[in-house]
Amino acid sequence: MSEIHAQLINIDQAHALLKEQHSQANELFPELTLTGQYILPDYRLTRKREAFKIRKHTFLKKHYKSYVAFDSENGQTLWMRNFSSLTQALFWLQTGLKPGDTDSQFSFKEWHESHADEIETYKDQLRSLHKEAVAKKKATDSRAHKSKPKKHA
């Protein structure tokens, strides 16, 4: 089986994907410039208005340990789906199947075992992104805290 080619993205990159797809919605043969397979961590697709609107009735909401997989590899359509684990999202991007699907030559478990190293690489990448975000947030919080003038009685 081939190597996984998904890329972890942030909310700004996901917004660019969605914006491009929306701008070409009425085209007879849309040609997306941002083609490939992407995973947006810590977000999920929802129908509730309390989140960032991406389609007429679809919204993107921050949700810890959720993943939205985007597939635009064919260059014309942007497919999106929610997943509760990074492994499931990678499985869908590579095979087009959900973990519970049985109409396949191999099962989710077999795929997971044969791609364990690649999955671990993505998880490490995700951990490092999370650590960077936490460090950045702590740095901005500490700068904001130090810059506040102290009041003496």
Side-chain angles (χ1 to χ4, degrees):
M1 180 101 358
S2 64
E3 201 175 306
I4 302 170
H5 299 289
Q7 185 179 347
L8 294 175
I9 59 172
N10 60 30
I11 190 67
D12 296 327
Q13 294 164 318
H15 185 65
L17 278 168
L18 297 164
K19 207 171 180 184
E20 181 185 26
Q21 188 223 14
H22 181 73
S23 69
Q24 295 189 25
N26 295 328
E27 298 287 324
L28 191 57
F29 297 104
E31 290 183 39
L32 302 173
T33 56
L34 302 170
T35 59
Q37 297 177 329
Y38 307 96
I39 296 176
L40 177 64
D42 297 331
Y43 280 87
R44 68 181 173 90
L45 299 169
T46 181
R47 295 237 185 232
K48 294 184 180 175
R49 292 181 182 269
E50 63 201 26
F52 167 64
K53 186 174 186 178
I54 53 174
R55 288 192 178 163
K56 190 171 185 179
H57 299 292
T58 309
F59 301 86
L60 201 53
K61 181 179 181 172
K62 196 145 182 63
H63 191 265
Y64 184 64
K65 289 197 176 181
S66 287
Y67 303 88
V68 180
F70 296 93
D71 187 0
S72 63
E73 225 170 27
N74 68 3
Q76 293 186 324
T77 311
L78 179 65
W79 301 99
M80 299 174 285
R81 189 173 296 277
N82 284 335
F83 292 97
S84 59
S85 81
L86 184 61
T87 306
Q88 291 174 355
L90 292 168
F91 179 71
W92 179 74
L93 286 173
Q94 191 178 26
T95 64
L97 301 169
K98 293 183 231 168
D101 290 347
T102 56
D103 186 23
S104 174
Q105 301 168 6
F106 51 91
S107 69
F108 174 68
K109 187 177 179 182
E110 291 169 353
W111 180 88
H112 185 279
E113 290 168 358
S114 65
H115 291 84
D117 294 336
E118 290 176 86
I119 294 166
E120 203 53 44
T121 303
Y122 280 98
K123 288 182 179 181
D124 291 339
Q125 208 178 353
L126 194 58
R127 285 182 199 110
S128 66
L129 286 173
H130 183 68
K131 285 179 184 176
E132 287 174 18
V134 168
K136 189 176 179 182
K137 186 177 180 189
K138 281 185 179 179
T140 56
D141 287 350
S142 65
R143 265 191 261 131
H145 186 47
K146 287 180 183 178
S147 65
K148 288 183 183 178
K150 294 181 180 178
K151 293 183 182 178
H152 295 286

